[in-house]
Amino acid sequence: MMSDKPTLPKATRRTFLKGAAATGTGVALAGAAKAEGDPLITEVQSWAQGLGDGVDATPYGLPIQFEGDVVRRNVEWLTADTISSINFTPIHALDGTITPQGCAFERHHSGAIELRKEDYRLMINGMVDTPLVFSYEDIERFPRENHVYFCECAANTGMEWAGAQLNGAQFTHGMIHNMEYTGVPLRTLLEEAGLGAAGDLSDKWVYIEGADASSNGRSLPMEKALDDVLVAFKANGEALRMEHGYPVRLVVPGWEGNMWVKWLRRIEVMDGPVESREETSKYTDTLEDGTSRKWTWEMDAKSVVTSPSPQSPITHGPGPMVISGLAWSGRGRITRVDVSKDGGKTWETARLAKPGEKMALTRFYLDTEWDGGEMLLQSRAMDETGYVQPTKEALREVRGENSIYHNNCIQTWWVKPNGEAENVEVS
Ligand SMILES: Nc1nc2c(c(=O)[nH]1)N[C@H]1C(S)=C(S)[C@@H](COP(=O)(O)O)O[C@H]1N2
Ligand SMILES: [Mo]
């Protein structure tokens, strides 16, 4: 991140200017502070006059104290207590795409449980040739895979249906995280138990339960179970955190977070869905006419500008600036993201930091100039199926305002001349 304080060393500065000319953003104005009269340049600082911490000061490191406000946060009035509740990833302060586990949102129905690997058991039963029980160690002996996927709670952005409500990308869009999972394909374990007894697999289901009191039971069509679902035990290289399902959770790429059963305990092969609480009274969408949609598993393409945003105002004045955000789709790759500064009247195509990956977060940037005026900032994602993220108005026309889940509308931030931003609705 460019600060407006230090003067860049000559060589760096020249390369930098060349780069700036190439992208045509005229970044030459940024970083124009003077060395003269700046004690941070002219005087030897305290940190250069003594020794720093030894290597074992923090055997498992935490972020430096100055980043101490980049934490998960909950919204107290949303739920009666913190046991059956949710908190939000500080997406306004992160960059790149990988969410560190320590600040990845949590959603529990009966609290996060402490389950030792030694006490861990996974049962596969029902219409299988041989019902099996795996220990943690057993699972680690099957061939494993690594994949990066986003997990989005279906309730993400759910508070915004009726109007702009929560003031910050963390709260409007922070029920999402994106990690690199290590795990065994669910297919492998089902095949180990043998699916001959299930006969024709095209109309079969699996019912998935967690070991916590809520169990969070969900039915999953066999087709998905045999496709890309993972029985995961590592995230971002290390063991799952307790709050994310240690020691083993289900990873259901592109599908609503509720199906990502944590503390995975039992998988039953069945000839139909269970229609449990979590897939009937919850995680269904009531439409205008009072009927409800069910089995809305896939997360539609969505995006949000993470900076600037209400918790991440512009602090540097007019001139070069980076607008940044995240885009994702439960149906595959993000192919393009457009950014509007005028509430959707005109659009510019953003730069994707990397080509979109299937069912994973994609980082976008718009390297641009700020004239110091107001902006109505929006982003609009497109995925490989040709789907375009809808406006709030368009979504309401189809879905009405009774919904909680699956709100993937275009978000607007009103950026003011003083650099502050506010959650507003323009369509
Ligand atoms: N066993 C169990 N699994 C669960 C839940 C739960 O309460 N218990 N919550 C679900 C919901 S609603 C979501 S959105 C995701 C959240 O995963 P996270 O807490 O790792 O962010 O886990 C799902 N899996
Ligand atoms: Mo959820």
Side-chain angles (χ1 to χ4, degrees), residues 30-343:
K34 284 207 187 73
E36 213 178 312
D38 181 354
L40 285 167
I41 293 290
T42 58
E43 278 162 37
V44 180
Q45 300 299 312
S46 58
W47 51 83
Q49 294 175 35
L51 304 175
D53 288 348
V55 289
D56 272 342
T58 48
Y60 194 100
L62 284 173
I64 195 165
Q65 55 169 319
F66 315 123
E67 300 293 325
D69 61 342
V70 183
V71 291
R72 303 187 270 237
R73 290 181 195 282
N74 78 344
V75 173
E76 270 173 31
W77 53 261
L78 265 184
T79 52
D81 56 44
T82 57
I83 302 299
S84 179
S85 191
I86 187 136
N87 58 21
F88 303 85
T89 307
I91 53 170
H92 64 287
L94 302 177
D95 212 320
T97 55
I98 296 294
T99 316
Q101 285 203 70
C103 67
F105 87 94
E106 310 164 69
R107 168 76 175 105
H108 317 308
H109 289 73
S110 51
I113 57 166
E114 208 166 64
L115 178 55
R116 300 188 321 155
K117 280 180 187 164
E118 294 78 358
D119 298 333
Y120 181 77
R121 298 288 184 275
L122 171 61
M123 178 190 282
I124 299 192
N125 68 340
M127 303 170 78
V128 291
D129 302 335
T130 320
L132 293 174
V133 174
F134 301 94
S135 67
Y136 179 83
E137 214 171 36
D138 292 335
I139 292 169
E140 277 195 323
R141 295 175 70 184
F142 289 95
R144 67 189 79 149
E145 297 180 5
N146 287 191
H147 298 277
V148 176
Y149 293 124
F150 75 81
C151 170
E152 183 185 18
C153 178
N156 202 18
T157 322
M159 286 78 77
E160 305 291 313
W161 276 106
Q165 178 153 247
L166 296 174
N167 217 20
Q170 175 167 23
F171 304 110
T172 56
H173 290 76
M175 292 183 195
I176 193 162
H177 51 59
N178 191 66
M179 306 190 200
E180 185 197 40
Y181 293 98
T182 303
V184 175
L186 175 56
R187 183 193 332 114
T188 306
L189 299 183
L190 288 171
E191 281 167 1
E192 186 73 10
L195 290 170
D200 177 10
L201 295 179
S202 65
D203 60 354
K204 296 303 178 299
W205 294 68
V206 290
Y207 185 66
I208 317 272
E209 272 180 355
D212 54 330
S214 83
S215 92
N216 195 80
R218 285 290 306 244
S219 315
L220 197 69
M222 183 61 84
E223 193 186 351
K224 180 71 171 175
L226 295 177
D227 183 13
D228 52 6
V229 176
L230 284 182
V231 173
F233 44 88
K234 294 271 161 81
N236 300 340
E238 62 180 356
L240 287 166
R241 296 285 167 87
M242 166 181 161
E243 59 269 35
H244 299 124
Y246 180 94
V248 178
R249 92 172 301 166
L250 204 68
V251 166
V252 191
W255 289 25
E256 62 187 16
N258 186 255
M259 305 178 93
W260 294 47
V261 175
K262 302 190 278 192
W263 313 291
L264 181 63
R265 170 185 178 272
R266 193 174 73 92
I267 299 167
E268 181 173 346
V269 176
M270 303 184 98
D271 58 5
V274 164
E275 311 238 21
S276 70
R277 170 190 186 271
E278 298 295 319
E279 48 203 12
T280 51
S281 97
K282 305 291 177 232
Y283 299 99
T284 50
D285 309 310
T286 304
L287 303 175
E288 205 57 46
D289 65 3
T291 62
S292 292
R293 308 191 306 171
K294 67 173 180 180
W295 309 146
T296 46
W297 301 309
E298 278 166 322
M299 301 308 294
D300 291 311
K302 188 163 166 179
S303 68
V304 66
V305 170
T306 51
S307 177
S309 64
Q311 299 156 287
S312 177
I314 306 174
T315 52
H316 57 56
M321 79 169 292
V322 175
I323 296 172
S324 179
L326 291 167
W328 60 95
S329 168
R331 294 200 165 83
R333 286 172 230 283
I334 287 295
T335 49
R336 185 173 128 191
V337 181
D338 293 339
V339 171
S340 176
K341 295 172 183 165
D342 53 17

Side-chain angles (χ1 to χ4, degrees), residues 314 318 370-376 415-419:
I314 306 174
W370 183 40
D371 62 10
E374 297 196 321
M375 292 188 279
L376 287 169
V415 180
K416 302 168 200 179
N418 66 3

